[in-house]
Amino acid sequence: MPDGTLEGLALSPTSSRSVTETINGSHKFVIKGYSLAKGMGVGRHIASDNFTVGGYQWAIYFYPDGKNAEDNSLYVSVFIALASEGTDVRALFELTLVDQSGKGKHKIHSHFERSLESGPYTLKYRGSMWGYKRFYRRAMLETSDYLKDDCLKINCTVGVVVSAMDCFRLHSIQVPESDIGQHFGVLLDNQEGSDVSFNVAGEKFHSHKLVLAARSPVFRAQFFEELQEDTNEIVINDLEPKVFKALLHFVYTDTLMEDELATSSSPSCSSSVSETLAAKLLAASDKYGLARLRLMCESYLCRDITVTSVASILALAVRYHAMELKAVCLKFAAENLAAVMLTEGFEYLKENCPSLQSELLKTVAGCDEECSSQGKSRSVWAQLSDGTDTNGRRVRQRT
């Protein structure tokens, strides 16, 4: 080899790979009371909750009277908006108006699985939107299978475009999702090796002390710390069998019984909220110190918050130390205070939870401050003073 040179050396080749792909996420937006939303005005919208895809927040905007004044409310408009800070966010979108007849004839507008002449859509800044001013002719919508029981369902998928250097994709091994919950679920179903049983209103549930103790500090103390006579059967007097069954299901599988919750947790009025399975399971989670179950129940109950139910759900949140749910209820009640004050649930709160009034007032003040910082013209206090709710409808104060 010549002195001072690399001539003759065989250098190992190096490589790298840039991968551009989409991070996808979906959101289901249910609009109940479509007929009541009509007439709110051209350019005014109903917004979904924010959802996160690709590190950005998004929201669906539905315009019952259309976005354009020129269309004379002949069409409904639907848009997807960037709801967080971002610059030149590139994304693919799909909007689906769900056919509720079961025939599967959905109305779909999609960027996915088709070639795009100019590439993905670019959203320049927070508030930028993609969608359709003439999404569907309103007269046709109101006689179609998309509208059922005065309810519309809109599904949205967002695919945020990202580029990254891929160092491991060529030599990777896929690891499946954890299935420990399935194995423990089988253990519960088969009752193999069970060493304790629970008598709940005459119905027997066989279980395993070690599993219960590992999951619940209350069970751990009951089985291994408290000085008491060892027993293989425990009587539960304050829970219904279906609630205790759902509790055991969570303890063993770390999941909720979604089917049972769906059929048992749809209150017809605010007074029945406490009778739903989700509410009773929230109480059980508080009793047995199951923090994750409590949070899951809070999330589930959050879906049922309305003007008529918020006070009852707030009372549950306070009673069972559900802090996340309490915060959501306070904010919702503050934003819709004029209407909430006319409900029976609010009267119950005034009589039984007086300390909540000061917390609600603080939340109202925070909402007013937020309105001011965002340049909104109407505050919560303004709604109360002129007797209107957040939708501008006239309401009467009780005397």
Side-chain angles (χ1 to χ4, degrees):
M1 180 179 68
D3 292 340
T5 70
L6 295 177
E7 186 179 347
L9 280 180
L11 299 177
S12 299
T14 61
S15 65
S16 63
R17 182 172 70 163
S18 174
V19 177
T20 300
E21 56 189 1
T22 60
I23 299 176
N24 298 340
S26 299
H27 185 79
K28 296 180 180 179
F29 185 29
V30 178
I31 301 168
K32 291 185 178 181
Y34 164 80
S35 61
L36 297 176
K38 288 194 305 179
M40 66 190 304
V42 175
R44 299 188 66 181
H45 65 266
I46 299 171
S48 73
D49 193 10
N50 289 355
F51 57 97
T52 302
V53 181
Y56 299 95
Q57 287 198 314
W58 308 86
I60 305 169
Y61 287 179
F62 176 74
Y63 297 79
D65 297 320
K67 195 172 187 295
N68 261 8
E70 307 88 75
D71 291 330
N72 295 316
S73 300
L74 293 176
Y75 297 87
V76 297
S77 306
V78 183
F79 284 82
I80 303 170
L82 179 62
S84 61
E85 297 301 330
T87 304
D88 294 333
V89 181
R90 301 175 70 235
L92 303 178
F93 302 101
E94 181 175 283
L95 282 169
T96 301
L97 187 58
V98 177
D99 176 7
Q100 299 187 66
S101 69
K103 300 175 184 176
K105 296 181 179 179
H106 312 303
K107 180 176 177 59
I108 303 174
H109 293 286
S110 179
H111 279 158
F112 293 88
E113 297 180 359
R114 65 184 178 91
S115 60
L116 301 170
E117 293 182 3
S118 57
Y121 193 82
T122 300
L123 294 101
K124 297 291 186 181
Y125 44 79
R126 179 177 183 174
S128 298
M129 295 189 292
W130 172 89
Y132 295 88
K133 295 177 181 177
R134 297 182 175 183
F135 186 77
Y136 207 82
R137 186 174 284 270
R138 199 162 76 168
M140 295 175 61
L141 175 66
E142 292 170 0
T143 57
S144 72
D145 290 328
Y146 302 121
L147 184 64
K148 181 179 180 181
D149 298 329
D150 206 27
C151 172
L152 292 174
K153 296 182 178 181
I154 300 174
N155 294 342
C156 162
T157 298
V158 178
V160 178
V161 179
V162 295
S163 297
M165 295 303 298
D166 185 358
C167 301
F168 308 103
R169 188 68 57 85
L170 293 175
H171 306 286
S172 63
I173 298 174
Q174 295 297 318
V175 179
E177 294 293 326
S178 171
D179 59 357
I180 189 172
Q182 297 176 22
H183 289 292
F184 274 87
V186 171
L187 183 66
L188 175 64
D189 292 338
N190 293 344
Q191 303 176 15
E192 185 177 355
S194 63
D195 56 358
V196 64
S197 66
F198 295 88
N199 186 331
V200 187
E203 190 170 337
K204 295 290 185 68
F205 296 90
H206 297 276
S207 186
H208 306 78
K209 291 181 180 178
L210 280 175
V211 176
L212 297 174
R215 299 282 279 159
S216 163
V218 176
F219 280 127
R220 182 166 61 250
Q222 186 174 9
F223 294 143
F224 301 120
E225 296 174 11
E226 295 176 359
L227 296 176
Q228 62 178 20
E229 190 175 322
D230 188 28
T231 178
N232 292 325
E233 181 173 304
I234 298 173
V235 178
I236 304 292
N237 295 315
D238 54 354
L239 292 179
E240 299 174 24
K242 67 177 182 180
V243 178
F244 193 76
K245 180 180 179 181
L247 176 76
L248 286 181
H249 179 85
F250 167 80
V251 166
Y252 278 78
T253 68
D254 208 38
T255 62
L256 293 175
M257 299 175 67
E258 290 287 349
D259 292 341
E260 291 290 333
L261 283 168
T263 56
S264 306
S265 298
S266 299
S268 57
C269 62
S270 61
S271 61
S272 64
V273 170
S274 61
E275 296 302 313
T276 63
L277 179 57
K280 293 177 180 179
L281 201 53
L282 177 69
S285 70
D286 185 57
K287 174 184 176 180
Y288 289 104
L290 297 167
R292 175 172 163 79
L293 176 59
R294 174 164 50 203
L295 197 58
M296 293 169 76
C297 291
E298 290 182 61
S299 176
Y300 204 92
L301 285 166
C302 211
R303 308 175 191 178
D304 291 326
I305 293 177
T306 64
V307 166
T308 54
S309 71
V310 65
S312 298
I313 295 176
L314 179 56
L316 286 173
V318 172
R319 183 176 181 181
Y320 299 119
H321 311 99
M323 295 299 102
E324 298 282 347
L325 184 61
K326 176 185 174 182
V328 172
C329 287
L330 282 173
K331 190 170 191 302
F332 181 91
E335 292 173 345
N336 300 274
L337 188 57
V340 172
M341 287 177 65
L342 301 180
T343 65
E344 293 181 4
F346 187 79
E347 292 298 316
Y348 173 86
L349 282 184
K350 286 200 320 185
E351 296 174 8
N352 297 278
C353 307
S355 63
L356 281 176
Q357 293 188 56
S358 61
E359 292 189 61
L360 184 55
L361 290 176
K362 291 178 182 177
T363 308
V364 169
C367 288
D368 270 2
E369 190 174 317
E370 182 179 342
C371 287
S372 176
S373 66
Q374 294 180 3
K376 295 181 180 179
S377 59
R378 288 180 53 76
S379 71
V380 178
W381 291 117
Q383 296 162 31
L384 287 174
S385 63
D386 69 2
T388 60
D389 65 12
T390 51
N391 293 314
R393 293 187 292 263
R394 196 77 184 173
V395 296
R396 289 190 307 170
Q397 298 292 342
R398 286 186 175 177
T399 56

